[in-house]
Amino acid sequence: MTLEDPHLNLRNLTKKDYPQLKVLMDKVYDDIGGAWPQATINKLIRDFPDGQIGIVDDDRLVGVALSVLVDYATFSDPHKYSDLTDSNELVRNNPKGDALYGLDVLIDPTYRGHRLGRRLYDARKELCRSMNLRAILAGGRIPSYHEYAQDLKPTEFLEEVARKEIHDPILSFQLANDFMVKRLMRGYLPEDERSHGYATLLEWNNILYEPADLILDSTTTEARVGAVQWQMREFDSVDSVLQQVEYFVDALSDYGSAFAVFPELFNAPLMGLTDQSDTTQAIRFLATFTEQFKTELMRMAVSYNINIIAGSLVEEGEDEMLYNVAYLFRRDGTYERQPKLHITPQEKRDWVIEGGHELSVFETDAGRIGMLICYDVEFPELSRILADQDMDILFVPFWTDTKNGYLRVRHCAQARAVENECYVVICGSVGNLPSIESLDIQYAQSAVFSPSDFAFPHDAVLNETTPNTEMIFFSDLDFTRLKLVRNEGSVTNLKDRRLDLFNVKWKKKKANKS
């Protein structure tokens, strides 16, 4: 087949490929001895068939990647090419190895420029991930060095290649494929005169690697989130509210959700059971039900085997001040609390609510989570502090009356997902209750946001509700995609921060009963 009409296929090598492989290696490696003996190739195919990869154009072998398994601790330190072989040029494969070692990647010169090398490197990376190996290691020749050896030390040469001031056909390609130079190795391949015997020790780190002793203890790589766009309605008792909450918890559990999410102050209609003329007393009246809600929500979390993000509840602290607090009730019977830190002017004026003083990431059996209540998500520093603690999901229970208020929360929440490369779940309430002061109108469209990259929806919205309609909705969150986007995305916001210029720090404060 001609280069104008290639029929390329990626497959594992077989012993029958050796005649073509020998021709290809003799052509590419004419300066360092040419092809491996047939016995060497046959042993590689026998010992580690998955690691021997070829690209064929119809029946013509045009690209090859050869690999073996090695012990990471041994070969991540300086070594020589001869450490991989015995006296008969047979390559040692360690079946218990925890790293992939790249022996050779070669492309037929007439096929260069078609990015076949990238295909082979991508196949190696996928093999490394599928086998749960720690890394890919390689000793990389620097064949252009002989042109600069009189003027540059080897380390200076490496620096100029990294800055793209010099092009080296091997090192430049490896750097472009996310390999990092760990160190310079001397005498790696003495017969390599173009490299003056030098080589780079290169590493590609498998960010999805799980040590064998941790695999059973590791958290799930996926989690289903279910949320309730809650209808604010008149209730005649606490039991009526809890009955409605349990109905939704039961439904979300039946659909296999790891989380059930409720909005901010979802039990606020209970203020309708007292005098509305004094808003401060009405909100304190609401706080008297919080302990009962905590007890019942904990029971539901355990009974229905689901983690509950209890929106928020008004709580009276030991200092007799009121706080707006989000709760995580885990299905193992434990719970956590996150007070609202930034209080809106209306909350201060009408309800005399105080801001809390703690900010935490919480471990769950379905990922590391953070909780920010409504207005808090409009302060990006908080989410960044949580992201620095490896948060996977940010839950934002909210309560907004107008569409412009809702859009402030939505746009800020979506920005938090992009800049912190995490999932963000916003959950609000709908409906009108003119009989209750400060609760007469609601506007919400709950949603789940993702980072903005190829692995996610084009608009970075995983799901969203119909505006102003009571309903439940679900999203399946893939944490593996988060790891990949944080390390190998088209942009890597967290990694690329200029920490030499700025940072965000939490100021420790004396314990406050909030």
Side-chain angles (χ1 to χ4, degrees):
M1 191 59 58
T2 65
L3 283 173
E4 288 73 23
D5 186 24
H7 292 172
L8 300 174
N9 183 40
L10 195 74
R11 64 168 173 82
N12 291 115
L13 297 176
T14 69
K15 294 179 180 179
K16 294 180 180 179
D17 291 314
Y18 183 75
Q20 288 196 66
L21 176 59
K22 183 179 187 310
V23 171
L24 184 57
M25 294 189 81
D26 283 340
K27 183 187 300 185
V28 174
Y29 292 153
D30 62 315
D31 59 328
I32 53 171
W36 288 99
Q38 185 169 4
T40 301
I41 300 301
N42 288 346
K43 185 176 185 298
L44 285 173
I45 293 172
R46 181 178 67 251
D47 291 350
F48 186 33
D50 289 341
Q52 320 317 319
I53 304 167
I55 296 178
V56 293
D57 184 359
D58 282 339
D59 295 325
R60 179 182 176 184
L61 188 66
V62 297
V64 171
L66 305 176
S67 309
V68 290
L69 295 171
V70 297
D71 176 60
Y72 177 86
T74 301
F75 285 90
S76 60
D77 282 331
H79 58 276
K80 296 181 180 180
Y81 201 67
S82 58
D83 294 332
L84 293 159
T85 62
D86 62 18
S87 57
N88 296 316
E89 290 192 87
L90 297 178
V91 181
R92 302 184 182 96
N93 179 73
N94 180 358
K96 296 182 179 180
D98 59 352
L100 199 66
Y101 194 98
L103 295 171
D104 295 293
V105 170
L106 54 153
I107 304 297
D108 188 316
T110 59
Y111 280 75
R112 289 175 183 167
H114 292 265
R115 301 194 175 187
L116 302 190
R118 183 175 293 276
R119 293 195 195 194
L120 292 170
Y121 270 65
D122 287 345
R124 268 185 181 165
K125 292 176 183 177
E126 186 57 37
L127 177 63
C128 184
R129 291 189 182 112
S130 67
M131 294 185 67
N132 189 39
L133 300 174
R134 183 170 176 173
I136 302 176
L137 299 169
R141 300 170 58 211
I142 45 175
S144 294
Y145 179 58
H146 71 282
E147 301 174 18
Y148 303 89
Q150 288 187 344
D151 302 317
L152 298 175
K153 297 177 182 178
T155 53
E156 294 171 335
F157 175 80
L158 299 185
E159 291 173 358
E160 296 208 11
V161 173
R163 292 196 298 265
K164 296 186 178 181
E165 295 173 4
I166 293 176
H167 177 80
D168 181 87
I170 294 180
L171 179 56
S172 297
F173 178 75
Q174 289 162 327
L175 294 176
N177 278 274
D178 303 319
F179 278 75
M180 296 179 60
V181 176
K182 293 195 69 175
R183 55 178 55 89
L184 182 72
M185 298 190 293
R186 302 174 185 275
Y188 178 76
L189 196 62
E191 62 268 33
D192 181 7
E193 295 180 357
R194 293 184 182 178
S195 303
H196 284 219
Y198 290 107
T200 55
L201 176 55
L202 296 142
E203 178 174 344
W204 176 82
N205 180 42
N206 177 16
I207 60 171
L208 303 182
Y209 169 67
E210 290 280 359
D213 58 343
L214 296 180
I215 290 176
L216 292 178
D217 297 328
S218 62
T219 57
T220 180
T221 59
E222 295 184 354
R224 176 168 295 174
V225 170
V228 182
Q229 185 158 280
W230 175 264
Q231 173 83 37
M232 290 289 195
R233 52 171 62 83
E234 291 187 10
F235 290 103
D236 57 10
S237 68
V238 176
D239 289 341
S240 298
V241 182
L242 290 170
Q243 184 179 19
Q244 187 71 12
V245 170
E246 189 159 5
Y247 164 77
F248 284 120
V249 170
D250 186 9
L252 295 172
S253 176
D254 283 346
Y255 283 98
S257 289
F259 295 96
V261 189
F262 289 87
E264 178 184 16
L265 298 178
F266 63 95
N267 69 345
L270 289 175
M271 287 189 290
L273 301 180
T274 191
D275 181 14
Q276 293 291 297
S277 62
D278 188 332
T279 56
T280 303
Q281 289 305 311
I283 199 72
R284 284 192 173 274
F285 173 78
L286 182 64
T288 64
F289 302 118
T290 294
E291 287 304 314
Q292 183 177 354
F293 270 85
K294 288 166 62 178
T295 299
E296 287 301 305
L297 287 164
M298 179 60 75
R299 176 188 62 80
M300 293 180 205
V302 174
S303 298
Y304 292 97
N305 190 30
I306 191 168
N307 301 299
I308 298 177
I309 307 297
S312 74
L313 301 166
V314 177
E315 178 183 289
E316 184 175 333
E318 294 181 10
D319 56 4
E320 298 185 352
M321 303 301 295
L322 294 182
Y323 298 91
N324 188 352
V325 182
Y327 283 92
L328 160 66
F329 295 99
R330 297 189 185 92
R331 48 187 162 192
D332 66 1
T334 60
Y335 78 94
E336 305 284 357
R337 60 191 300 283
Q338 174 61 62
K340 189 172 185 176
L341 305 181
H342 297 86
I343 306 304
T344 65
Q346 179 268 326
E347 287 176 289
K348 291 179 182 178
R349 180 184 64 249
D350 296 343
W351 294 339
V352 196
I353 287 179
E354 295 290 320
H357 301 91
E358 304 98 34
L359 181 66
S360 301
V361 167
F362 305 110
E363 291 281 0
T364 75
D365 57 9
R368 291 172 60 82
I369 74 160
M371 298 183 290
L372 294 179
I373 303 172
C374 198
Y375 194 32
D376 278 343
V377 82
E378 299 178 28
F379 298 84
E381 297 87 354
L382 300 181
S383 301
R384 179 50 51 85
I385 290 169
L386 296 174
D388 282 338
Q389 300 175 57
D390 299 323
M391 174 183 64
D392 298 312
I393 313 172
L394 175 62
F395 290 101
V396 183
F398 71 91
W399 174 9
T400 52
D401 52 359
T402 62
K403 188 171 183 178
N404 62 323
Y406 159 73
L407 289 175
R408 280 199 309 270
V409 172
R410 180 188 177 101
H411 293 326
C412 290
Q414 190 156 22
R416 304 297 86 86
V418 171
E419 67 200 15
N420 296 304
E421 297 168 324
C422 66
Y423 296 111
V424 177
V425 181
I426 64 171
C427 182
S429 54
V430 300
N432 303 316
L433 270 179
S435 62
I436 299 178
E437 189 73 23
S438 302
L439 199 64
D440 46 353
I441 58 173
Q442 315 282 306
Y443 187 95
Q445 184 180 22
S446 304
V448 181
F449 304 121
S450 72
S452 186
D453 214 322
F454 296 114
F456 305 98
H458 73 279
D459 57 359
V461 179
L462 290 173
N463 201 353
E464 58 187 347
T465 62
T466 302
N468 288 345
T469 302
E470 183 171 67
M471 60 187 296
I472 60 176
F473 70 112
F474 303 90
S475 282
D476 291 331
L477 309 184
D478 187 338
F479 302 131
T480 299
R481 291 185 178 184
L482 289 186
K483 288 185 178 180
L484 292 174
V485 78
R486 289 168 181 170
N487 289 272
E488 302 173 15
S490 57
V491 294
T492 49
N493 298 74
L494 287 177
K495 285 175 61 177
D496 293 341
R497 285 176 295 161
R498 287 290 305 276
L499 298 180
D500 58 321
L501 299 180
F502 65 88
N503 57 37
V504 178
K505 291 184 178 180
W506 181 261
K507 293 183 178 179
K508 293 185 178 180
K509 188 176 178 69
K510 185 178 179 180
N512 187 289
K513 301 298 184 180
S514 60

